[in-house]
């Protein structure tokens, strides 16, 4: 039995819970005050934390997904075709590192979202203890999160790009999910779970929830389906099947926004700069350098380089059309 220590307001927690549910891996979902002891067992004290059956504790959602693939063969979320497996990883990485900015920005830029979400998150964390205590904690947490906005790039100056990117992503998914829920077949991949984790929060925070209900109603409803797909069987697409338009649209964002973002960050880190800037969709963006995202770029390039010739033949034209190929090659 695994125990997943997380929070309802954590996109990565809900991502991992959805993975465990779909894969039918027995687990206990623990959240709120129950997570405190688990955070003391990992090097980086961030949720979700997974306690394995042997009593060890681990975190970081993407490595957890791959480790579960090794430990449990049934109901894999990695497409068997290496080319499509790489695409699923690339989209998941895009969700984890770029789409998360939409979650953070929508939650902490406007006062209506700040107040409601800080109170809900405090309610989740404390699970009682009086309204006064809960709201006092909420104000402290709100101040902390709002104070971190510039660090993660979620400023008012940057948000036009973040919002435009988010709406483009939701538009692609809205057109796709009325046909089928999966990107790479009639079963979900790690890409869908990565996207779900971030978008799950947009589906409950006041401002983005209203936006999704009004403009992307089927994508909004799709979130509830991805949350628990334990009853889904499904099949993977064949290696030679045409890629869904949504995949092409999302990869277009990866090529025009996410990879330029990663490259600008890595170049700035190499130069010893503290900040970096780039432009996408005709809109400016600047933030502080993040070492973790330097590793993300290196990992993507290493995974891409490791593909065999047959996989490259199936994937390179698609990535070239999306503007991803040169960046992944390191050219």
């Amino acid at each position: 039995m695994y125990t997943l220590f997380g929070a309802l307001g954590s996109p990565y927690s809900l991502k991992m819970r959805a993975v465990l549910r779909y894969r039918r891996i027995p687990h206990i979902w623990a959240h709120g005050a129950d997570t405190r002891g688990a955070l003391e067992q990992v090097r980086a004290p961030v949720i979700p934390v997974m306690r394995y059956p042997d009593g060890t504790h681990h975190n970081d959602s993407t490595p957890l997904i791959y480790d579960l693939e090794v430990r449990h063969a049934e109901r894999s979320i990695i497409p068997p075709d290496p080319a499509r497996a790489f695409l699923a990883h690339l989209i998941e990485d895009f969700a984890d590192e770029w789409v998360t900015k939409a979650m953070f920005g929508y939650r902490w830029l406007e006062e209506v979202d700040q107040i409601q979400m800080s109170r809900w998150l405090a309610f989740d964390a404390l699970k009682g203890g009086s309204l006064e205590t809960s709201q006092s904690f909420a104000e402290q947490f709100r101040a902390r999160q709002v104070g971190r906005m510039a660090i993660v790039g979620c400023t008012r100056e940057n948000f036009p790009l973040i919002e435009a990117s988010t709406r483009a992503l939701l538009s692609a998914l809205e057109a796709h999910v009325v046909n089928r829920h999966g990107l790479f077949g009639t079963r979900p991949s790690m890409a869908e779970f990565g996207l779900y984790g971030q978008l799950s929060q947009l589906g409950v925070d006041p401002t983005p929830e209203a936006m999704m209900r009004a403009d992307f109603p089927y994508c909004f409803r799709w979130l509830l389906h991805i949350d628990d797909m334990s009853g889904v069987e499904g099949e993977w697409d064949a290696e030679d099947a045409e890629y869904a338009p949504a995949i092409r649209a999302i990869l277009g964002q990866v090529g025009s926004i996410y990879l330029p973002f990663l490259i600008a960050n890595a170049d700035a880190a190499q130069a010893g700069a503290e900040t970096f800037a780039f432009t996408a969709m005709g809109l400016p963006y600047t933030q502080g350098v993040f070492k973790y995202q330097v590793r993300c770029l290196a990992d993507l390039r290493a995974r891409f380089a490791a593909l065999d010739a047959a996989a490259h033949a199936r994937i390179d034209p698609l990535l070239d059309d999306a503007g991803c190929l040169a960046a992944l090659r390191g050219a």
Side-chain angles (χ1 to χ4, degrees):
M1 181 73 71
Y2 294 84
T3 301
L4 182 67
F5 298 92
L8 295 173
S10 160
Y12 303 100
S13 296
L14 295 197
K15 168 189 173 183
M16 285 307 304
R17 189 178 71 174
V19 168
L20 291 169
R21 285 174 169 176
Y22 168 72
R23 300 205 61 201
R24 299 175 184 165
I25 296 174
H27 65 282
I28 295 169
W29 164 244
H31 59 100
D34 297 332
T35 66
R36 293 169 191 165
L39 287 170
E40 298 173 357
Q41 304 300 317
V42 288
R43 180 175 300 178
V46 292
I47 55 173
V49 175
M50 183 102 75
R51 184 169 65 207
Y52 281 36
D54 64 3
T56 60
H57 293 73
H58 309 267
N59 60 355
D60 196 340
S61 62
T62 304
L64 286 174
I65 283 174
Y66 281 114
D67 194 41
L68 290 174
E69 289 286 326
V70 173
R71 294 167 177 265
H72 303 275
E74 299 78 14
R75 298 175 65 79
S76 170
I77 59 172
I78 310 297
D81 171 23
R84 291 171 188 263
F86 175 79
L87 293 181
H89 179 95
L90 180 59
I91 293 172
E92 189 245 16
D93 198 66
F94 162 69
D96 278 0
E97 305 300 326
W98 178 260
V99 183
T100 192
K101 295 181 185 301
M103 182 280 299
F104 206 87
Y106 277 117
R107 179 165 288 176
W108 302 113
L109 274 176
E110 301 299 336
E111 187 174 56
V112 62
D113 299 281
Q114 292 177 14
I115 292 173
Q116 182 161 314
M117 293 314 301
S118 62
R119 289 181 176 180
W120 280 5
L121 295 173
F123 176 84
D124 293 348
L126 298 178
K127 293 184 177 178
S130 84
L131 179 63
E132 181 180 4
T133 299
S134 180
Q135 292 194 356
S136 175
F137 179 86
E139 283 304 305
Q140 295 174 37
F141 187 71
R142 175 187 175 190
R144 175 183 177 273
Q145 295 300 91
V146 172
R148 297 182 67 242
M149 295 292 279
I151 298 174
V152 296
C154 292
T155 61
R156 291 197 180 276
E157 293 75 16
N158 287 343
F159 202 66
L161 173 58
I162 296 169
E163 185 166 43
S165 171
T166 303
R167 292 187 67 88
L169 170 64
L170 291 171
S171 292
L173 289 173
E174 184 76 4
H176 180 82
V177 300
V178 294
N179 294 309
R180 66 178 188 181
H181 288 351
L183 291 171
F184 297 95
T186 54
R187 59 189 289 172
S189 75
M190 66 188 299
E192 289 90 301
F193 291 114
L195 292 167
Y196 161 74
Q198 305 304 324
L199 298 178
S200 68
Q201 304 306 299
L202 272 59
V204 295
D205 291 13
T207 298
E209 180 190 0
M211 178 266 289
M212 289 187 72
R213 283 181 178 271
D215 299 338
F216 310 102
Y218 291 105
C219 188
F220 176 79
R221 194 64 176 175
W222 175 78
L223 298 175
L224 293 178
H225 290 266
I226 303 299
D227 183 55
D228 190 344
M229 300 192 79
S230 58
V232 171
E233 298 298 336
E235 301 291 338
W236 295 114
D237 287 341
E239 289 184 0
D240 59 353
E242 180 66 24
Y243 291 106
I247 293 176
R248 295 180 180 275
I250 296 169
L251 292 178
Q253 288 212 357
V254 173
S256 64
I257 302 172
Y258 182 50
L259 289 173
F261 162 78
L262 289 182
I263 290 169
N265 177 69
D267 288 348
Q270 186 174 18
E274 294 184 357
T275 62
F276 68 92
F278 77 105
T279 300
M281 301 180 76
L283 298 166
Y285 183 93
T286 184
Q287 76 163 61
V289 170
F290 262 55
K291 292 181 179 179
Y292 184 84
Q293 287 160 354
V294 174
R295 296 197 295 272
C296 290
L297 178 60
D299 178 72
L300 287 174
R301 286 174 167 169
R303 289 178 184 275
F304 182 68
L307 294 174
D308 63 22
H312 277 292
R314 292 194 298 277
I315 200 177
D316 286 8
L318 174 69
L319 292 171
D320 196 22
D321 288 345
C324 299
L325 189 60
L328 290 169
R329 285 175 171 170

